[in-house]
Amino acid sequence: MRRTELDLCRIFGCLMVLMIHAGSDMYGNLPLEGLPFFLVCCLSTAARGGVPLFFMLSGALFLSRETLDARKLLTRHALRLTLLYYLWSLFYAALRAYTGGLASARDFFFAVVAGHYHLWFLPAMVMCYLFLPPVHAAVHRGGLSGKYLAGLFLFLGVFLANCNLTPDPAPILYRFTQNFSLDYLLYLGYAVWGWRLSVYRMPKRMLWLAPLVYVLVTLAAAFANRWYSLLRSTADGWLFHYFSLPSFLQASTAFCFFLALKEHIFKRPKAIAVLADATLGVYLIHPLLIKVFERFGFAPTPAAPVLSLLGFWAVLAAVCFALVLLLRRLPLVRRIL
């Protein structure tokens, strides 16, 4: 059954990702001592809890099931995200080649393998999907096929490890293996954490307590980021890491807020579901639209950093969602968005 409160959580997480990328250039181009830098720092810091939410949503949706079909999980989710990763890596590499950013065919191929900067999320989610079946078996005290564990070991433990034994003149193959790094498995913890939170019935007071804690944590982290930036004399996202305590608390409180809406009667659940389904497409295309906007001179400006950043973010979100909803009407395009 579709859970509208989780759809809203997904939309919120997507909007936070857009804020991160919309304000990245602005964050590094403002005087550190002024109020504008602190306010932009608040916005950038507030958005950091958005990315972990997607892993928490996966945990809540998959680990809460009594049974989990590993084959369907791998083919419908892990394999699809892997294909999307390389398809969109090819797209962004072709875009760089078209604009003169790649000097040779080898550079182009390496760019495809390495992927665009924002696409790291896809292999990170793939790695979590690969390990969700054993985690599900553990939390539900069920059995797990030995074939699955053996296949997982052969692929991750033997195949990828031996690829990394290649000599230095093979950086492309090495970069390929790093795309699906075991380091991403730490995000599996967010999936388990999301599942654990989802089994509790959140009290209604979370509807005001969670946002309050979110704001207080954001302000404290923003002050800390500004202090550290002044200490280093450069704009530094000291607590921007997705496993920092502020990011963890932001993600947790945001998730609790949306879980507290579980029994709320929504007026337009179908419209919310449509927007939630569009978030993957928004994530995939938004860097392209940022570049298009900047090419036409539409970008946040230091003259009015906060208002221009909020305006840029709002327009970016509106255009991204509208474009994805329009493109998803095309059957073939729908598969890659």
Side-chain angles (χ1 to χ4, degrees):
M1 184 178 69
R2 192 91 189 202
R3 296 180 59 178
T4 304
E5 76 278 7
L6 297 186
D7 283 337
L8 286 173
C9 185
R10 189 179 303 278
I11 295 170
F12 174 79
C14 181
L15 292 175
M16 292 301 97
V17 171
L18 296 186
M19 173 58 75
I20 291 173
H21 294 153
S24 59
D25 289 340
M26 175 69 70
Y27 185 76
N29 292 317
L30 290 174
L32 303 180
E33 296 79 9
L35 179 62
F37 174 78
F38 175 71
L39 295 177
V40 171
C41 183
C42 286
L43 293 175
S44 297
T45 303
R48 300 296 154 172
V51 172
L53 285 176
F54 291 98
F55 296 95
M56 296 173 72
L57 284 166
S58 293
L61 292 171
F62 289 110
L63 295 180
S64 61
R65 300 177 182 179
E66 289 298 323
T67 60
L68 184 65
D69 190 324
R71 179 176 295 180
K72 288 183 179 180
L73 179 67
L74 297 181
T75 56
R76 295 183 180 180
H77 298 281
L79 180 60
R80 177 172 180 257
L81 291 185
T82 301
L83 294 175
L84 284 177
Y85 175 80
Y86 286 109
L87 177 63
W88 283 91
S89 294
L90 176 63
F91 171 80
Y92 281 105
L95 193 62
R96 286 182 61 191
Y98 177 76
T99 57
L102 298 173
S104 65
R106 185 182 182 281
D107 290 343
F108 175 80
F109 186 63
F110 184 84
V112 173
V113 172
H116 198 255
Y117 73 89
H118 78 298
L119 294 177
W120 70 269
F121 170 80
L122 296 181
M125 186 63 76
V126 169
M127 295 302 294
C128 288
Y129 282 151
L130 289 177
F131 282 86
L132 275 180
V135 172
H136 183 276
V139 298
H140 289 276
R141 299 180 181 179
L144 184 67
S145 169
K147 293 181 179 180
Y148 180 84
L149 291 176
L152 207 59
F153 168 71
L154 291 174
F155 177 71
L156 296 176
V158 179
F159 174 72
L160 292 185
N162 280 274
C163 285
N164 284 335
L165 295 177
T166 54
D168 291 339
I172 291 179
L173 185 58
Y174 176 78
R175 188 62 183 82
F176 167 77
T177 63
Q178 293 307 297
N179 289 339
F180 297 87
S181 171
L182 290 174
D183 293 342
Y184 288 138
L185 283 184
L186 195 55
Y187 285 99
L188 189 61
Y190 269 122
V192 176
W193 181 236
W195 167 71
R196 288 298 300 168
L197 290 177
S198 70
V199 301
Y200 294 107
R201 183 177 180 180
M202 290 295 162
K204 291 298 181 182
R205 64 174 178 270
M206 278 295 173
L207 294 177
W208 63 266
L209 181 59
L212 176 62
V213 174
Y214 195 106
V215 171
L216 292 177
V217 168
T218 297
L219 288 175
F223 273 110
N225 283 327
R226 180 178 180 272
W227 167 80
Y228 194 66
S229 296
L230 290 171
L231 184 67
R232 297 194 61 197
S233 299
T234 184
D236 192 294
W238 175 38
L239 298 177
F240 281 0
H241 195 277
Y242 297 130
F243 293 98
S244 69
L245 182 59
S247 296
F248 170 78
L249 292 175
Q250 288 172 333
S252 299
T253 52
F255 202 64
C256 289
F257 171 82
F258 289 106
L259 288 176
L261 294 172
K262 184 175 182 179
E263 297 179 359
H264 182 77
I265 300 176
F266 297 92
K267 293 182 178 180
R268 298 182 179 274
K270 292 184 178 179
I272 295 173
V274 170
L275 289 176
D277 289 339
T279 54
L280 177 59
V282 170
Y283 160 76
L284 292 170
I285 71 168
H286 78 272
L288 172 62
L289 289 181
I290 290 177
K291 292 297 182 182
V292 171
F293 287 165
E294 291 175 347
R295 181 174 288 269
F296 284 94
F298 178 57
T301 171
V306 177
L307 291 178
S308 64
L309 175 56
L310 289 174
F312 181 79
W313 170 64
V315 173
L316 175 66
V319 174
C320 280
F321 273 99
L323 184 59
V324 170
L325 291 176
L326 180 63
L327 292 175
R328 280 174 61 86
R329 293 177 176 272
L330 305 174
L332 294 179
V333 178
R334 185 183 183 89
R335 292 180 174 273
I336 61 173
L337 289 176

